[in-house]
Amino acid sequence: MTLWADIQHKALSDMPSLEVVIWDAIRIAVFFILARILIRVGVRVTRRMLSLHTKMDDRRRKTLESLFTNVIRYTVYFVLVVEVLSLFHVNVSAILASAGIVGVAVGFGAQSLVKDLISGLFILFEDQYGVGDTVQINGFKGTVISIGIRLTRVQAWTGEVQVIPNGQITSVTNYSRTQSTAVIDVTVPYDVDVDLVKSIMERVLTRLKDERPGVVTGPVQVLGVQDLSNTNLVIRATAVCAPTKNGEIEREAHERIKAELDRALHEGEEAQGAAGGELAVE
């Protein structure tokens, strides 16, 4: 009985008084309320700052909002847990030192993951490309269908989807941020009338610009003979177009120029035939 009495006495002597317990509970409640206030203020400030960027698309804004909200919440709660543990006289320094060692070990084992996350943050912050942009990443060309903190997904026009870790992106070409140039090359034989072909090309491109002002946005130019071969020559023209619209204009211009050349050739043959008939009558 004496041993049991000594244990009870020791336990009761180590217990804090009721006043200390109440005061600690009040401090914990105050810390929790302050933490909630800090989180709410931090989230509102973050959303306000992101909303000032009018050029940022909704998907990118929501991604950054979610990221910053989680960072703010985890940071504030971590500080709260440290403060609460210190109230109970827990050796926080030893815990932090152990956590640091574990963090270093995990960091060495997840270097590629950390690299992907950091690269994803820079892609989002710098707005290198967005969802819907036509890009070429590491030699793969297509349309961006999703951007995450770790992965970017690009879909080619033939349908296949390339999933690229952000840390492995070494080169990016964005075709959706600046105007494009349609290059129209027409190959004709040597005996053709070059001035006639140039006038047809200029007429076709000028008509395209008038019909589609939102697609052909800049000047059209017929540059002239671009290349010579043994039997043919190449006549080149250009047209400044909206981003990624150059291929569409090139195809349509080639079709129209082909039709105009056929019509001009047919009219020329009819004119020659009529002239030959008049000479025969005479």
Side-chain angles (χ1 to χ4, degrees):
M1 294 297 295
T2 305
L3 178 61
W4 177 248
D6 292 339
I7 293 174
Q8 287 183 330
H9 177 73
K10 180 65 176 177
L12 292 175
S13 63
D14 291 338
M15 290 182 60
S17 62
L18 180 61
E19 181 180 355
V20 174
V21 172
I22 295 175
W23 177 243
D24 289 342
I26 294 174
R27 292 178 65 183
I28 293 173
V30 171
F31 286 154
F32 181 77
I33 294 173
L34 289 177
R36 298 289 296 178
I37 294 174
L38 286 175
I39 292 173
R40 183 168 298 182
V41 171
V43 171
R44 287 187 177 180
V45 171
T46 300
R47 291 177 178 174
R48 177 63 178 173
M49 292 178 63
L50 293 176
S51 65
L52 297 178
H53 295 275
T54 56
K55 296 183 178 180
M56 187 183 300
D57 58 89
D58 292 337
R59 187 182 184 89
R60 178 166 169 259
R61 183 181 292 108
K62 290 179 181 179
T63 302
L64 290 177
E65 283 182 3
S66 176
L67 172 65
F68 286 127
T69 298
N70 289 332
V71 170
I72 293 171
R73 183 179 291 114
Y74 295 150
T75 303
V76 173
Y77 281 149
F78 176 77
V79 175
L80 175 63
V81 170
V82 170
E83 291 296 329
V84 171
L85 290 176
S86 64
L87 289 178
F88 294 101
H89 306 288
V90 177
N91 191 353
V92 179
S93 301
I95 296 177
L96 293 178
S98 301
I101 296 173
V102 174
V104 170
V106 172
F108 278 115
Q111 290 183 9
S112 60
L113 176 61
V114 174
K115 184 179 179 181
D116 292 341
L117 297 177
I118 294 175
S119 299
L121 289 176
F122 277 108
I123 290 171
L124 292 171
F125 281 131
E126 297 173 357
D127 195 18
Q128 298 177 13
Y129 50 83
V131 175
D133 286 354
T134 300
V135 299
Q136 180 170 306
I137 300 178
N138 296 349
F140 185 86
K141 185 176 180 180
T143 302
V144 179
I145 58 176
S146 69
I147 305 173
I149 299 299
R150 194 175 71 86
L151 298 172
T152 294
R153 290 177 172 84
V154 181
Q155 184 175 20
W157 69 275
T158 51
E160 61 267 29
V161 175
Q162 183 88 351
V163 180
I164 308 171
N166 293 328
Q168 297 181 12
I169 295 176
T170 57
S171 63
V172 178
T173 302
N174 194 329
Y175 298 95
S176 299
R177 300 298 173 88
T178 57
Q179 292 180 324
S180 58
T181 301
V183 180
I184 299 95
D185 286 339
V186 177
T187 303
V188 293
Y190 267 100
D191 57 354
V192 77
D193 186 350
V194 174
D195 292 332
L196 174 62
V197 177
K198 290 170 63 177
S199 64
I200 290 175
M201 295 175 69
E202 185 174 5
R203 183 167 64 250
V204 167
L205 291 176
T206 302
R207 190 181 301 127
L208 268 175
K209 181 180 179 181
D210 295 337
E211 293 176 359
R212 307 183 66 180
V215 179
V216 182
T217 58
V220 296
Q221 292 180 317
V222 179
L223 303 180
V225 177
Q226 176 68 21
D227 193 16
L228 297 173
S229 65
N230 293 331
T231 57
N232 298 316
L233 54 87
V234 178
I235 302 175
R236 172 168 291 183
T238 60
V240 178
C241 307
T244 71
K245 296 297 183 179
N246 54 328
E248 174 184 341
I249 294 300
E250 288 173 3
R251 290 188 292 272
E252 188 168 353
H254 280 124
E255 291 178 0
R256 294 194 182 192
I257 292 171
K258 171 62 168 56
E260 291 286 340
L261 287 174
D262 289 343
R263 188 179 298 111
L265 179 61
H266 181 67
E267 292 175 354
E269 290 176 350
E270 288 183 347
Q272 288 180 0
E278 292 177 358
L279 291 175
V281 171
E282 294 176 356

